[in-house]
Structure formats: structure tokens, C-alpha cells
Amino acid sequence: MASDDDPASSSDLEASASAAAAAAAAAEEEEEEEEEEEDAAAEEEESETAEEAEYYFSDNDDAAEETVLDVLADGGEEECHWSVSSVRVITKESLLAAQREDLRKVMELLALREQHARTLLIHYRWDVERIFELLEVKGRERLFLEAGVSAIENKGRVLSSSPCPITCNVCFDEVPPSRVSEMDCGHCFCNECWTEHFIIKINDGQSRRITCMAPKCNAVCDEAIVRYLVSARHPEIADRFDRFLLESYIEDNNKVKWCPSVPHCGNAIRVKGDICCEVACACGIQFCFSCLSEAHSPCSCLMWELWIKKCQDESETVNWITVNTKHCPKCHKPVEKNGGCNLVACLCGQAFCWLCGGATGRDHTWSSISGHSCGRFKEDQEKRTEQARRNLYRYMHYHNRYKAHIDSLKQETNLKETIQGKISISENKESKIKDYSWVTNGLNRLFWSRRVLAYSYPFAFYMFGDELFKDEMTPQEREMKQNLFEDQQQQLEANVERLSSYLEKDFQDFSDDLVMDTMSRVINLSNVVDRLCKQMYQCIENDLLYPLRTTHNIAPYKSKGLEKPSEVSICWDSCQSSRSTRTCQEDRCPTSESTANGVAEKTVLGKRSEAQLQGSSSSNNGGYSSSSSSSSRKRDKIDARTGPTFDLNMPP
Amino acid sequence: MLDVSRVQKELAECNRDQAISGVGIALCDGGSDLSHLTGTISGPVATPYEGGTFRIDIRLPGGYPFEPPKMQFITKVWHPNISSQNGAICLDILKDQWSPALTLKTALLSVQALLSSPEPDDPQDAVVAQQYLRDHQTFIATARYWTETFAKRISVDIEEKVQKLVEMGFPEDLVRSTLKSVNGDENMALEKLCSS
């Protein structure tokens, strides 16, 4: 959209001149109540929409400016939100550190050795909270028994000191006690047999749960013994065993998934709270954590799967087919006319009239078909072909708009470089305006909202189509909801285009006043667009998806875009890991002394980590992205609290 | 890489008390392959399988005893956990609950126990299991009939046939080997004996 044609710009000129003055003055008035201005802005917009239904543009400049300055001043606080981020990248190097936290919690609260904690965590899919829940319900004994942890130490018997040979119950050979190993469950067999057993289980992909060889014994074998015995014969299998154990944290964990990048970047992503979300990997790829395909919110995973399939099946040929074919009245396949008269025969044998698409007999001349007259209106056939055509048009309508926005997104990504150039020119100019972060922020807002807009089309295609929810809404209900949704979508679309047009302006050649004007508009529009996105999500989650019988979860709207997650750093929990390594070192040598200390240690550690747990959970609740409950209403509240956006990241 | 010494020990141990336990193991068809065996179990008392002798094909994988032996009924049997078609056995210790400390003897004893206590809720043969649950009387009758027909004939009938043919004037060992070569068919054996 060209700025000159903009109907709003001329009327807003006066207001924006005052905006510049306000900006300078407002520097002292940073400590304004945010809520107040938000309310003011909202009120203003309501009156605005009444007058100017086409645009959702607020020219309450004072309020907008203050918001902007507040945000600029609060840059430090924004940083804080980032560190609370619940999404983390796990690399090959940090995989061990990533599980330390969970291992440590379990080890401390249950006074377990590291390997037992791991067995427990693997069995309960690394769900620490569930383990503690079940501890309450089932009690310690049963919890351990089911997971295959032998908490009862049978180390009292000292095998190696007894001189008489022992009969191994697997190979039936008599072996000296030095060549026998005993597991925590108390069963002992000869080392040869154990090794054979371990190798077969590891090769069978059961590394994470190698149970004891005794019949009906559910105990999981001591990983240290497995490692020791197997590495003596096949070091490479022992390495594989270690890797399997380590990767269990990713494979057997609902909250961690491999990054779906191809070729694989080697990373995994961990989320906290609701796993229905979208994440970005350190390698740059953005994906839906639930279905691992590209980020597609506000489409649900099912919608997106159907849409992708439909697009692959139809998009390339769809245009050609509509232009060049007619549907056979019998088999409904598209038929192309490859020459001849207007009597066309489909491969299925049905003849039909090319003019009207109606079924006919085969007798014909160049000018007429016997017993057939196109002049007569035949409702039935007409209806059927009409239906097919309508379905196709409907799909094309949504697909074209989806594609248009995706294409715009691609073009606008190129804009980033151009704009960087403009910014550097402007910054070197003689001017009192030095901060051009509003341009990049506006640009990021544009990318993010453009993306939301693009994916809202496939969403609408399924939401208001017959394929998924035909029986869940009456036609009237559907029409009403569609109007509601499309109204929001339209407003968003108009404002996204406006934002785009302002960002394309050559602001480096502008006078200071004009730059201030553009700046206030970009900032304003960014806020409006953000709010509209939120509202559209609210509409989708609460008015459209919530009343449905089938659950369709969508990843929540993230005002800031997809956060580039920080890595699980080894130093991040170094203080904790050092302690836990110390604990496990102590545990590694199972002397009678350490077991005697076990009880006393347990209570101390237990108290401490309980406090830690509470601490971490409360900080979680305050954090920005802890939308742990799937309730969309709750989500909105949390999002609403986070204020205007700044650190948007680029789409891939 | 089958553990030959273990299998040999097992065979010796198992056949020592065959009369008491009711289970026995032999090399298949008198061959010398230790990985292919035939087990026999007697039908448990007070079940429709009582009095029958059931033969089970046993194949030992290379990883035995760390991998479970493969067992399958040769004798046809009517049981919810045993396929009436191919004799496949649905028994946890032959699959994921196998433990290297179990032996062929314990496995066969488990199969024997399975005969006396079917688990129709976890069926191998859905038809049999349904009958077991819905029409128990018919189930008992069918199982007994199958035992009579398939699990007894070989041992009982063969002796009768041998006796008959010996009375006709053929030497006993020749009669036995001929009968065996034609799978117990009396007429074919007679034909063969006459033509030789």
C-alpha cells in the first residue's frame, strides 16, 4: 500500500506533529501506570472502529508514545523474561547436564543412588512430578518394585570371600566366586552368562531396561556392572549402552523431542508446561512441538496435516484443472476435452455435453446431441457439478490467500537487509534521532503477524468447512462464527498491510519530523497488530474451538514470536551438578558407612530440595511462558500481562 | 553359538524323571541336531486333555538360553491359548518373560500348566476362546474329542496296526519301519510290505 493513498495519513498529520513533542516531554514521565494507558488505548480504538471500520488504527499518540518509551526504558526487564524462557536446546554436549537436574531431585528426595534414580526416571518417562505423586499413592516399596529398583541392599553377603565354587543357574557350570556377579536384587550368576545376557539385550534395543536373569525378577541390572562386563568383551557395545542410557532423556520423555531438522543438527528441545506449543531450535528451524512439522499455529496439528496433504495433492494442478476440465457427471473425475465436437466421452464410458456438463446419449451430429438440449435447465446435474466447483473454489480461495501471505513473508524477509542499510545511513545522519530500534522491532512484528495471518487461512478452511466439524455446528451457527472470525482476520490483514507500507518507506531521506511521524505510526501499528493477533487467537480458542466436542489444541499466540531458546549450559547448573556428582561419587562405593548415613542425609537433603522445588514452582508461575495449563483463557491472561513486544526473532 | 553343554545337561536332567513329571525331551527324529528337539507332555489329570500325549516341536535359537526357545504343538489341540490351526502357543515365558535361568523342562511344565488353566482373556485362538467363555460344555466336549482323536491315536493305534500286520506274517521291525515311513497308514504299509 502506498503511503500517499493512505486515507488516514493526512488526517493524522496534525496529531503526529504533537507526537514528536510528546515523545521529548514524556522522557520524564516514565513512571506511568501501564494499565491506565492500555485502557485508554482500548477505549480509543473502540470509538475509532465505529468511525473508521476499515482500519484499526489508534491515533491516541500520547498513550502510544508513553508505551513506547516505557518499553524502551524497560529493556532490562525484557531481558529478564528471556531468562525465564521455558524452552531449552539440548546439544550432545549438554545432554548429561540437562538430566542432572531431574536426577538430582530424585536422588535427593528419595535418597537413591544415581543409577537407581535413572532407572526410576526412565520407567516413569522422566516425569519427576509424577514420581512424587505416585510416591504418595503407592508408597516407596511399590513404586520401586514396579520400576525395577531394588532398594533393599543385599550387600550383606560377601560372595568373594567364600571359597567354595558356586553353580551358575544359567550355564549349570561350577564357577569360582571371583567370576560371579551379584545384582542389587540378590541374584547372582557367572560373569560369562551375565555378559551374554547384556549383549543380547543391548543388541535388542533394550538397554534402558535390562532386567535380572532370574525368572520373574523385575529388577533392573546395575548399570556399572553392565558397563564393566560388556566393555571387557565388546567396548563398542558398552559405548552404545551408555549412549542409549543418555538418550533416554530424549527418547522416553514427553517434554523433550529431537529437532526435526534435515540433516539433523544433533539438538533436542526441552519444554516446560504445556507441550502443545511451538519452538525454535538453535539451528534456526521453527517447529510445532506436538507434531514436529513446521510451526502452523493457529492451525491445529490435524488441520495442518490435512492442509499439507491437500496442498501437495492439489495446489500445482488445481489451477489447470479448473480452467481446462469439466467433471464427468458419472464418476466425477475431471475430464479434459482433447478435440472434436461438444459430445465428450469420459474414460468411464459416460458421454456428456461439454457445454452444460450434463449426461447424454452417444448419438450426435456436429451441432446437436440427440435427446439433449442445453437450453433446458436441469437442476440435479447442475447442483452436483456446482457443488464440486464450489468446493474447489473454496479451497482455491483459502489457498491463494495463504500462499499470498507466505510469499509476502518471503519477500519481506529480503526487506530486512535493505532496511539494515537504511538504518545505518540514518544513524550516520546529522539528526537528533539516534535510536532506530523501532524499525527492526516493527519489521519483526510484521513478520510474526504475517505468519499468523497466513496460517489463519488454512485454519478457516477447516474450521468453516464440511470436512472436520460438519456435525458440530448448525449452518447458522457456522455463519455467525465465520463472520466473527473473518471480521477479526480482515482487521488484522488491513493493519498488517499498513505496517508493511510504512516500513517500506525511505525514511533515511526524511526530515526529522517525518521520521518521528513514521516512527510513531510504526510503533502504533505494531501494537495494534499485536493486539489484533491476540484477539484473533482469543476468538479462535474461546469462541471457535472451545465449544467443539473434539479437542483441537493450538499452540498459544506468542507476542514475542518464537523465542530462540537458550542452551542447557553446563555452567548453568554447575553448582548443583557438582553437588550431585559428589553425592554419586559417595554412592559409587557402596560401603556400609554410606548406607548408614543414608537415613540422616535423606532428611536434610529432603528438606532442602523441597524448598527448592517450591521455589522453582513459584518462579515458574510468575514467568511469562509457563502456560502450563491447556486452558486457553488462562493463556490469554498471561500473555496480556507481558506488554508490548520487542525481541521478535526472524522467521527461518 | 548354541550353548551345547547346557542343552545336553538339560536333556539328561529332564529325562531322568520323565515318568513323574510327565514331560520329556528328545532329539527330533533321532537326528543329532541339538537345536531341534521334540518335547512330549502328558495331558494333565482332570482336564479334557487327560490321557493324551502331546508332542511339541522345539527349536533353539543361537542365543539360547539368553533368547527363549521356540515351541509349537505338533499334536493338534483345542485350547484358547493354543492355535487350533498351527499349534502356536501364547505363553508369556516363551516371549518377553523368558529368563535365561528357565530351562526347557520348566518351559514344558509351564505349557502343561497352561493346559490345565487356560487364560481365555488373552487368547491365541479367538474361536476357541469365545467357545470357552460362552459355551463351556461344548468346549469341554470338543477339547476331549480332539484329545481322543489326535493325542491318543498315534500311540494306541500304531500298536494295534503293528499287531495286525505281524499276525499277517511280516517281521515286527520291518512292520514298524514301514508304518513309520507311510505315517501310520495301514493300507499303504500293507501294499508296501507286499511289494517288497
Side-chain angles (χ1 to χ4, degrees):
Chain A
M1 193 186 291
S3 58
D4 307 315
D5 307 337
D6 200 333
S9 63
S10 57
S11 67
D12 290 343
L13 261 178
E14 214 181 318
S16 54
S18 69
E28 286 103 44
E29 302 170 24
E30 282 168 15
E31 306 295 315
E32 271 283 331
E33 283 283 313
E34 260 200 50
E35 276 180 33
E36 250 182 55
E37 18 167 288
E38 262 183 30
D39 288 352
E43 268 176 44
E44 181 58 42
E45 275 154 23
E46 270 168 44
S47 61
E48 193 65 26
T49 32
E51 289 166 21
E52 200 181 282
E54 205 183 336
Y55 298 119
Y56 207 74
F57 181 63
S58 154
D59 34 9
N60 186 339
D61 291 319
D62 292 344
E65 283 306 310
E66 276 160 21
T67 318
V68 170
L69 290 169
D70 273 356
V71 171
L72 287 173
D74 288 354
E77 205 182 298
E78 289 293 312
E79 288 299 311
C80 278
H81 283 304
W82 281 103
S83 61
V84 180
S85 157
S86 55
V87 181
R88 288 201 187 273
V89 174
I90 300 171
T91 60
K92 238 178 226 158
E93 290 72 32
S94 59
L95 182 54
L96 186 67
Q99 28 193 301
R100 272 270 168 261
E101 175 80 355
D102 285 348
L103 280 169
R104 189 185 53 82
K105 268 189 210 161
V106 173
M107 281 162 69
E108 290 187 354
L109 253 80
L110 295 172
L112 282 176
R113 288 158 66 194
E114 180 179 336
Q115 48 155 314
H116 288 150
R118 184 177 291 123
T119 306
L120 204 60
L121 280 161
I122 290 175
H123 186 75
Y124 292 106
R125 298 190 62 83
W126 294 88
D127 192 338
V128 180
E129 271 130 61
R130 189 167 159 70
I131 290 179
F132 292 135
E133 252 169 51
L134 288 174
L135 182 68
E136 294 285 312
V137 181
K138 295 185 171 181
R140 197 180 159 89
E141 289 289 314
R142 243 184 84 204
L143 185 79
F144 285 9
L145 196 71
E146 280 172 18
V149 174
S150 309
I152 317 117
E153 300 280 339
N154 290 308
K155 296 286 179 190
R157 270 189 296 161
V158 185
L159 283 166
S160 40
S161 63
S162 83
C164 48
I166 294 164
T167 308
C168 168
N169 270 331
V170 170
C171 60
F172 300 142
D173 284 338
E174 301 235 311
V175 278
S178 58
R179 283 174 46 213
V180 166
S181 294
E182 184 187 12
M183 289 298 155
D184 294 334
C185 53
H187 296 115
C188 50
F189 299 96
C190 78
N191 289 345
E192 289 291 301
C193 288
W194 276 126
T195 314
E196 202 66 44
H197 175 67
F198 296 151
I199 288 173
I200 285 209
K201 291 286 176 188
I202 294 168
N203 285 338
D204 208 21
Q206 296 183 41
S207 296
R208 285 157 205 151
R209 258 196 87 76
I210 302 182
T211 49
C212 167
M213 287 200 285
K216 309 270 176 211
C217 181
N218 191 34
V220 174
C221 294
D222 188 328
E223 61 182 63
I225 300 183
V226 175
R227 198 172 294 128
Y228 171 74
L229 288 178
V230 173
S231 61
R233 207 189 296 178
H234 292 288
E236 75 282 358
I237 295 183
D239 288 348
R240 210 158 68 208
F241 170 73
D242 276 338
R243 211 183 64 232
F244 276 132
L245 277 193
L246 213 56
E247 288 180 357
S248 156
Y249 187 69
I250 300 169
E251 307 265 351
D252 309 321
N253 192 338
N254 299 339
K255 306 263 180 201
V256 182
K257 279 183 183 161
W258 288 111
C259 167
S261 54
V262 178
H264 186 44
C265 62
N267 297 341
I269 302 288
R270 180 176 73 190
V271 300
K272 267 196 184 121
D274 194 0
I275 60 165
C276 182
C277 63
E278 290 175 344
V279 293
C281 176
C283 71
I285 190 174
Q286 299 185 348
F287 63 96
C288 166
F289 194 76
S290 303
C291 70
L292 296 181
S293 60
E294 66 173 279
H296 53 67
S297 178
C299 278
S300 72
C301 294
L302 176 63
M303 287 172 178
W304 184 246
E305 193 193 328
L306 292 171
W307 179 259
I308 281 295
K309 197 170 173 296
K310 198 169 179 64
C311 289
Q312 276 169 355
D313 290 350
E314 296 183 29
S315 69
E316 283 178 34
T317 44
V318 101
N319 289 326
W320 191 90
I321 287 175
T322 31
V323 173
N324 293 294
T325 68
K326 287 211 163 96
H327 287 263
C328 164
K330 191 177 168 199
C331 66
H332 303 293
K333 284 190 180 122
V335 175
E336 178 198 9
K337 184 175 148 176
N338 56 1
C341 69
N342 278 333
L343 181 100
V344 188
C346 174
L347 278 179
C348 74
Q350 177 66 50
F352 65 94
C353 170
W354 186 251
L355 293 178
C356 70
T360 65
R362 288 184 165 268
D363 285 342
H364 66 289
T365 64
W366 272 103
S367 52
S368 68
I369 303 166
S370 67
H372 175 74
S373 154
C374 282
R376 208 174 283 168
F377 184 71
K378 289 198 177 99
E379 211 179 347
D380 260 16
Q381 292 152 356
E382 199 67 18
K383 231 188 237 166
R384 232 177 294 155
T385 38
E386 190 51 38
Q387 181 66 36
R389 198 172 301 139
R390 230 186 11 240
N391 283 347
L392 203 58
Y393 278 141
R394 187 168 179 276
Y395 167 67
M396 280 175 60
H397 167 90
Y398 285 106
H399 183 263
N400 287 343
R401 277 155 189 77
Y402 160 72
K403 186 123 192 329
H405 283 296
I406 291 287
D407 289 347
S408 302
L409 186 61
K410 278 180 194 149
Q411 282 163 12
E412 282 160 352
T413 313
N414 299 334
L415 205 79
K416 181 121 185 162
E417 268 178 42
T418 331
I419 285 201
Q420 282 303 336
K422 288 185 193 173
I423 290 176
S424 51
I425 294 173
S426 302
E427 277 171 347
N428 294 329
K429 242 182 6 177
E430 279 296 313
S431 160
K432 52 181 177 175
I433 304 161
K434 284 289 168 212
D435 189 356
Y436 283 88
S437 61
W438 56 272
V439 185
T440 32
N441 289 329
L443 199 60
N444 286 331
R445 169 63 56 216
L446 174 67
F447 293 143
W448 191 242
S449 50
R450 183 71 86 183
R451 214 195 65 105
V452 168
L453 202 51
Y455 292 106
S456 74
Y457 280 99
F459 166 80
F461 177 78
Y462 287 107
M463 188 68 224
F464 308 113
D466 287 341
E467 208 167 320
L468 287 179
F469 309 124
K470 195 184 179 188
D471 305 327
E472 302 223 13
M473 286 181 279
T474 61
Q476 293 81 13
E477 221 181 323
R478 180 189 297 182
E479 201 189 324
M480 198 190 74
K481 289 182 171 179
Q482 187 165 2
N483 286 335
L484 185 74
F485 174 77
E486 281 175 355
D487 188 44
Q488 306 223 5
Q489 199 183 28
Q490 259 171 25
Q491 283 181 358
L492 177 61
E493 195 157 29
N495 282 288
V496 167
E497 296 302 348
R498 269 171 69 103
L499 181 60
S500 173
S501 77
Y502 274 108
L503 284 167
E504 278 178 33
K505 285 188 180 177
D506 291 325
F507 58 85
Q508 77 276 22
D509 304 329
F510 286 3
S511 66
D512 275 3
D513 283 353
L514 214 48
V515 172
M516 282 306 283
D517 174 44
T518 317
M519 169 173 125
S520 74
R521 277 164 197 285
V522 165
I523 291 171
N524 233 335
L525 276 168
S526 297
N527 290 337
V528 168
V529 161
D530 181 33
R531 192 152 45 232
L532 284 172
C533 282
K534 264 181 216 159
Q535 278 172 8
M536 193 169 83
Y537 266 76
Q538 259 169 16
C539 167
I540 290 173
E541 292 182 324
N542 298 339
D543 301 330
L544 302 181
L545 293 177
Y546 185 69
L548 296 175
R549 279 192 297 273
T550 42
T551 1
H552 270 251
N553 287 328
I554 62 167
Y557 175 64
K558 292 201 174 158
S559 191
K560 293 160 199 270
L562 290 185
E563 312 144 47
K564 269 243 166 72
S566 47
E567 207 181 292
V568 175
S569 63
I570 296 140
C571 46
W572 170 67
D573 60 349
S574 61
C575 51
Q576 289 146 359
S577 71
S578 72
R579 192 169 59 211
S580 62
T581 35
R582 201 183 57 229
T583 333
C584 66
Q585 268 165 0
E586 277 170 15
D587 278 325
R588 276 276 156 76
C589 43
T591 54
S592 57
E593 194 187 347
S594 78
T595 37
N597 286 343
V599 188
E601 205 175 344
K602 175 187 158 193
T603 49
V604 175
L605 290 175
K607 257 183 200 160
R608 192 197 313 167
S609 37
E610 239 168 43
Q612 276 168 353
L613 267 180
Q614 278 168 3
S616 69
S617 68
S618 63
S619 72
N620 245 352
N621 290 339
Y624 150 66
S625 334
S626 70
S627 42
S628 55
S629 91
S630 55
S631 151
S632 48
R633 283 154 216 254
K634 202 170 187 175
R635 227 180 245 159
D636 299 327
K637 258 189 213 158
I638 294 164
D639 264 14
R641 220 186 297 148
T642 53
T645 351
F646 260 64
D647 280 332
L648 284 168
N649 56 312
M650 288 279 291
Chain B
M1 37 169 242
L2 182 69
D3 188 343
V4 178
S5 82
R6 156 149 170 165
V7 179
Q8 276 166 343
K9 279 178 198 159
E10 277 199 53
L11 288 179
E13 148 75 20
C14 180
N15 292 331
R16 202 164 32 190
D17 57 352
Q18 189 176 355
I20 309 158
S21 64
V23 303
I25 307 166
L27 290 172
C28 189
D29 295 328
S32 59
D33 184 3
L34 271 173
S35 69
H36 192 186
L37 311 168
T38 306
T40 51
I41 57 173
S42 54
V45 185
T47 65
Y49 311 103
E50 183 176 353
T53 303
F54 298 87
R55 302 205 315 141
I56 292 170
D57 183 68
I58 304 171
R59 282 173 192 276
L60 303 181
Y64 182 82
F66 303 99
E67 289 171 30
K70 294 181 170 60
M71 292 193 176
Q72 203 167 359
F73 270 87
I74 303 169
T75 312
K76 282 171 84 76
V77 55
W78 190 253
H79 187 282
N81 305 104
I82 297 158
S83 166
S84 58
Q85 303 291 314
N86 59 17
I89 307 166
C90 180
L91 184 62
D92 58 351
I93 64 147
L94 292 180
K95 295 181 173 88
D96 53 334
Q97 291 299 305
W98 171 256
S99 141
L102 292 172
T103 61
L104 294 175
K105 184 183 168 186
T106 50
L108 285 175
L109 285 171
S110 298
V111 173
Q112 198 182 32
L114 185 68
L115 286 182
S116 41
S117 51
E119 288 173 35
D121 296 326
D122 183 21
Q124 169 80 36
D125 194 308
V127 180
V128 186
Q130 287 218 340
Q131 195 191 55
Y132 182 89
L133 292 169
R134 291 187 187 160
D135 189 357
H136 201 68
Q137 287 309 310
T138 317
F139 166 79
I140 299 278
T142 317
R144 187 166 290 139
Y145 176 74
W146 277 45
T147 308
E148 294 295 328
T149 317
F150 304 114
K152 287 187 180 169
R153 199 178 60 184
I154 299 160
S155 47
V156 178
D157 287 4
I158 287 268
E159 288 309 311
E160 280 176 12
K161 286 172 195 165
V162 169
Q163 211 180 343
K164 231 184 211 172
L165 290 166
V166 168
E167 279 167 6
M168 286 180 191
F170 299 105
E172 189 179 329
D173 48 338
L174 185 63
V175 167
R176 280 190 191 277
S177 63
T178 315
L179 264 173
K180 196 174 179 183
S181 70
V182 295
N183 283 328
D185 188 313
E186 198 184 324
N187 292 330
M188 273 175 74
L190 184 60
E191 219 167 90
K192 219 171 176 182
L193 285 166
C194 292
S195 63
S196 65

